[in-house]
Amino acid sequence: MSKSWSVGIISLVSACGVAFAQERPHAEEASHAVEQSARAGEQPGAALYGRLCRIDIRGEKKDQWMRLPNAESSVTQHRLSAGGKSFDYTATAGTLIIRDDEDKPIASMGYIAYVRHDLKGSGARPLTFAFNGGPGSSSLWLHMGVLGPKRVVVSDPGPTPAGPYRTVDNEFGVLDKSDLVMIDPVGTGVSHAVCDHKDDEFWAVDPDIDSVSRFIAQYVSDNNRWTSPKYLLGESYGTTRGAAIVNYLRARRSFAFNGLILVSVATDIEAIFAELPGNDRPYAVYLPGYAAVAWYHHMLPSQPAALEPFLTEVRAYAMGPFTAALLKGDALADADREAVAQKVHEYTGLPVEYLKEANLRVSEIAFAHELLRAQRKTIGRLDGRFVGPTMDLLEKYTDYDPQSSAISAAFAAAFLDYYHGDLKFGQGSTYRTTNSSIGEKWKWTHKTEHGEQPMVNSGVDLAEALVKDANLRVLVLNGYYDLATPFSATEYVMAHLGLPPGLGARIEMKYYEAGHMMYVHPPSMARMKRDLDAFIDSTARP
């Protein structure tokens, strides 16, 4: 496995600079919150969970009999006042025990749920499930970045100053439109396997889809939300997961979502990762993304005044002459290679000789290292607007992401302070903000009704869901300066779902002048809020 492929896999995680954080001692109860702790021992079925675990435990593991899978929760009451909005809501931070088809516990999954309780008839109120990606990321990035009632304030597009970090009421969150459940997959947050199962059993495409699907169905049942309009939102690898889940739950539970929201799309892994031997697809679909970042940094030989007209030109070249040149491979004539290198130089600012030495094939982490190399600067893979000093000019690939370095500490610290303090949960345990072991051990095969894929492309699942669920709508959010999941690659993927005529109209694309986590850019966060509100309003039936 090449270095660039390994780095690409792991850094699909949004802001992947923090591996985990140690928990602090139990915090004192805050005067403004009401805490109600509930353990599975107080709930119906807890005794059954315990018996089932004992059945599964082998004789040599009798010492584990007392470590039963207990669901836990902390329920607190809050009020949001921001952006002219003011309302009360209930927050539940806890774990939910998911079970297999024989109702035997297999994992304890952490979550944080928000329910606005000043509205009558919760069954008619929208409910959104959300998660980040990785594989190996907890949901704190979306949670504290844009969706939840609180958000951390970070600098953009530069490093956030050292602590103390600032958390504010989030006027751009979704709680005014929809209740919200943030999910941490097994191995992230406080989620872990139970009853003699191992975490790494869940570290593969299909077990991950299955476990998160079981969580969603059980949460809906436990909280009597079957009739609510339901939405699924995933970021990065979370889009791979989300596109598959809508079809998985549709087929197995007749479970329908009103809408699927894909943030920074990674449904077709092979289409967005370079350096796989013989795989030329990414290089053409990268080109408009590279052009956008080069335009932002004024690195083009002839700088266009406006971005979008320029990108229209680059898109046409990428899908036409550039793709044709790549398809010729070693048979490409020297004169043609020279002409293509010159044109790509005009669109990206990369030196002609560098492009020829790279055989016209430049990975995103090579581009991030090379674009500002003369200034001894590295640009962000997750967001090309961010820059940082280059450690070794002789390296071929960037060895860190300046965007991750700029914001990760603030996100982790703000979330853990909020998790333990305001939500009063998780003391005495380890909350893994990012678990890099998951990405390193992940199994990428995916079984579909059309056969097994050696490298997952859940666009197949999404297409099937769109065909078989006439009500499903899809909202796709793209950052122009995202090099990890370039907007131009997403355009290619969405145009290659193989949909019958007319169904593509149910997929809506939005663009932002930011990167992978477009919500760190305040104007983009405001636009994202408007786009999410409009999508929910248009798809939630009165």
Side-chain angles (χ1 to χ4, degrees):
M1 179 180 289
S2 71
K3 174 184 175 183
S4 62
W5 169 244
S6 304
V7 170
I9 293 291
I10 295 168
S11 58
L12 253 187
V13 176
S14 293
C16 60
V18 182
F20 63 89
Q22 295 294 333
E23 303 306 294
R24 69 184 187 186
H26 196 298
E28 293 183 3
E29 182 174 355
S31 59
H32 67 279
V34 178
E35 179 180 3
Q36 298 172 338
S37 295
R39 297 184 179 273
E42 303 167 5
Q43 298 174 355
L48 174 62
Y49 294 159
R51 287 197 299 273
L52 290 173
C53 269
R54 287 187 174 92
I55 290 170
D56 289 344
I57 294 296
R58 300 186 183 93
E60 68 272 17
K61 295 187 176 181
K62 290 181 180 179
D63 61 320
Q64 295 184 15
W65 282 15
M66 297 305 295
R67 298 211 296 269
L68 305 180
N70 293 325
E72 303 177 45
S73 66
S74 171
V75 181
T76 52
Q77 308 299 329
H78 306 266
R79 185 170 185 82
L80 185 143
S81 296
K85 305 165 190 172
S86 183
F87 55 81
D88 298 320
Y89 63 92
T90 297
T92 303
T95 58
L96 186 152
I97 307 300
I98 63 167
R99 300 161 292 168
D100 63 16
D101 289 342
E102 297 179 347
D103 279 334
K104 294 181 179 179
I106 56 175
S108 171
M109 293 187 64
Y111 70 96
I112 300 172
Y114 298 101
V115 176
R116 185 174 170 181
H117 61 77
D118 59 343
L119 299 176
K120 295 181 180 179
S122 63
R125 182 161 162 76
L127 175 64
T128 299
F129 295 93
F131 36 68
N132 279 88
S137 175
S138 70
S139 62
L140 79 87
W141 314 102
L142 282 168
H143 187 172
M144 296 299 289
V146 65
L147 297 181
K150 300 283 186 179
R151 65 179 175 87
V152 59
V153 178
V154 295
S155 299
D156 176 79
T160 297
Y165 303 110
R166 191 160 63 96
T167 302
V168 297
D169 279 358
N170 182 19
E171 63 186 283
F172 305 109
V174 300
L175 194 53
D176 59 325
K177 289 288 182 180
S178 169
D179 294 338
L180 175 68
V181 183
M182 305 301 305
I183 306 171
D184 290 334
V186 174
T188 71
V190 296
S191 302
H192 59 87
V194 299
C195 289
D196 213 26
H197 290 276
K198 304 296 183 184
D199 283 2
D200 59 12
E201 294 175 29
F202 299 85
W203 296 351
V205 173
D206 291 340
D208 175 73
I209 293 166
D210 178 75
S211 61
V212 177
S213 295
R214 289 178 188 275
F215 174 95
I216 292 170
Q218 187 168 329
Y219 180 91
V220 168
S221 287
D222 290 351
N223 292 275
N224 195 27
R225 299 299 297 266
W226 282 107
T227 60
S228 297
K230 290 177 281 293
Y231 296 86
L232 191 62
L233 187 154
E235 178 181 311
S236 198
Y237 183 82
T239 66
T240 321
R241 177 188 296 129
I245 285 174
V246 292
N247 197 45
Y248 189 87
L249 281 171
R250 177 204 58 77
R252 287 160 180 79
R253 298 290 296 268
S254 296
F255 187 117
F257 289 94
N258 294 55
L260 172 65
I261 302 159
L262 303 176
V263 181
S264 302
V265 172
T267 52
D268 185 349
I269 298 298
E270 193 178 72
I272 62 169
F273 279 121
E275 301 294 318
L276 286 174
N279 179 30
D280 276 347
R281 277 202 298 160
Y283 301 106
V285 300
Y286 283 167
L287 188 60
Y290 291 170
V293 173
W295 178 89
Y296 176 85
H297 289 288
H298 295 271
M299 292 300 292
L300 301 174
S302 180
Q303 181 78 11
L307 177 61
E308 189 53 52
F310 170 58
L311 292 181
T312 299
E313 177 184 337
V314 181
R315 286 181 179 104
Y317 182 78
M319 294 298 103
F322 189 51
T323 295
L326 295 175
L327 287 174
K328 291 182 180 179
D330 297 339
L332 185 67
D334 289 345
D336 293 336
R337 190 182 311 276
E338 181 74 31
V340 172
Q342 180 61 45
K343 197 66 175 177
V344 174
H345 162 69
E346 294 174 11
Y347 288 151
T348 66
L350 296 178
V352 171
E353 288 305 312
Y354 174 85
L355 291 165
K356 290 193 293 184
E357 290 169 2
N359 197 24
L360 306 177
R361 293 158 174 83
V362 180
S363 71
E364 77 282 14
I365 53 177
F367 179 82
H369 181 75
E370 183 65 25
L371 181 66
L372 302 181
R373 190 168 69 88
Q375 303 175 32
R376 194 156 189 160
K377 293 179 180 178
T378 293
I379 63 173
R381 179 174 178 269
L382 293 173
D383 193 325
R385 298 173 305 133
F386 286 74
V387 298
T390 297
M391 296 181 65
D392 187 348
L393 293 177
L394 298 180
E395 285 283 347
K396 181 178 179 181
Y397 305 117
T398 180
D399 53 7
Y400 80 109
D401 188 329
Q403 196 241 27
S404 293
S405 298
I407 67 173
S408 291
F411 265 80
F415 172 78
L416 291 170
D417 181 71
Y418 172 67
Y419 191 57
H420 301 315
D422 289 20
L423 301 184
K424 299 186 167 304
F425 194 74
Q427 296 87 348
S429 62
T430 297
Y431 186 99
R432 289 178 172 83
T433 62
T434 300
N435 186 347
S436 59
S437 295
I438 296 177
E440 294 165 358
K441 297 178 181 179
W442 196 257
K443 297 178 179 64
W444 292 91
T445 58
H446 175 42
K447 291 182 180 179
T448 74
E449 293 188 8
H450 308 284
E452 182 168 317
Q453 301 170 344
M455 184 65 64
V456 58
N457 174 8
S458 61
V460 173
D461 305 81
L462 176 57
E464 185 172 349
L466 284 166
V467 167
K468 296 182 178 180
D469 182 352
N471 295 311
L472 178 65
R473 293 264 305 277
V474 182
L475 177 64
V476 181
L477 309 184
N478 306 276
Y480 278 128
Y481 309 123
D482 177 5
L483 295 176
T485 58
F487 72 89
S488 44
T490 300
E491 292 170 346
Y492 168 87
V493 167
M494 291 298 147
H496 288 78
L497 294 177
L499 294 172
L503 266 64
R506 286 163 37 206
I507 301 174
E508 186 177 1
M509 303 276 283
K510 297 293 183 180
Y511 299 84
Y512 307 92
E513 293 186 21
H516 196 75
M517 303 167 68
M518 64 282 297
Y519 43 85
V520 302
H521 177 234
S524 294
M525 179 163 45
R527 285 192 56 201
M528 181 177 177
K529 168 62 176 171
R530 292 195 295 270
D531 292 337
L532 290 174
D533 284 357
F535 183 68
I536 293 173
D537 286 344
S538 67
T539 54
R541 300 295 180 264

